[in-house]
Amino acid sequence: MSKFPEPRLEHLYDVHVDLEAPQVVGQTPMGMRQIYIVKGGRLEGPKLKGTVLPGGGDWATIRPDGALQLDVRAAVQLDDGPVIYAYYLGILFGPQDTIMRALSGEDIPLSDYYFYISPLFQAGAPEYDWLNRTVAIGRGKVVRSGIEYSVWALVNP
C-alpha cells in the first residue's frame, strides 16, 4: 500500500495529428531511426483548443526489443492566440503485425497494443502559465493519417 494518495486525472484535450511519411535514417547503434514530420492537426479540450502547427516532429526509434520510442516536439496555436510548446517521450509497443495493420489504417482496438506518452509543456502567455507546472499522461491511437491522443493532467487528490 502506498503512503501517498493516488493522483487524480483531469482531461486536458484530445488531439488528432497528421504526419508526413517517415524519413528513414536507418539502423543506428540505438535502433532503427525514423523521423515523422507534423503536417498539422487539431486539439480540443475543456481548457485548450487550437491548431497543431506544421513542422514539429517525432524523432522515433524502433529499439532492439521492438518498442517504438517516441521523442516528440510540437507547437499548438491556441484559438485565443498564444502558442504552446509540447514535448514528450512515449512508448508504442505491440505485436509487429498489429502495429503494421494499424499503420496501414486498420482500426485496431487499443487493448491490442500499448501506446502511452508523458507530455510536458512550455507556455509564455500568463493565462496558460499553469501548463508550465503540469505533468500529463496520454493514451495514443495509430490512425491512417497519423496519430490521436487523449491527454490528462495529473492533479492533487
Side-chain angles (χ1 to χ4, degrees), residues 15-70:
V15 62
H16 174 90
V17 180
D18 291 315
L19 300 171
E20 293 182 7
Q23 301 170 4
V24 178
V25 174
Q27 189 64 41
T28 74
M30 303 304 290
M32 175 63 76
R33 173 72 71 177
Q34 300 179 45
I35 303 167
Y36 293 85
I37 302 299
V38 172
K39 291 170 36 176
R42 183 74 189 158
L43 180 142
E44 295 281 341
K47 294 183 176 181
L48 302 168
K49 292 181 182 1
T51 301
V52 179
L53 298 174
D58 181 358
W59 286 258
T61 304
I62 301 172
R63 303 183 323 198
D65 67 358
L68 180 67
Q69 183 172 311
L70 291 81

Side-chain angles (χ1 to χ4, degrees), residues 54-101:
D58 181 358
W59 286 258
T61 304
I62 301 172
R63 303 183 323 198
D65 67 358
L68 180 67
Q69 183 172 311
L70 291 81
D71 179 4
V72 175
R73 295 160 194 92
V76 175
Q77 174 87 55
L78 297 177
D79 288 351
D80 60 348
V83 173
I84 303 296
Y85 170 66
Y87 55 104
Y88 57 88
L89 300 177
I91 297 288
L92 170 58
F93 182 76
Q96 185 175 15
D97 67 317
T98 300
I99 301 302
M100 295 309 293
R101 288 182 10 242

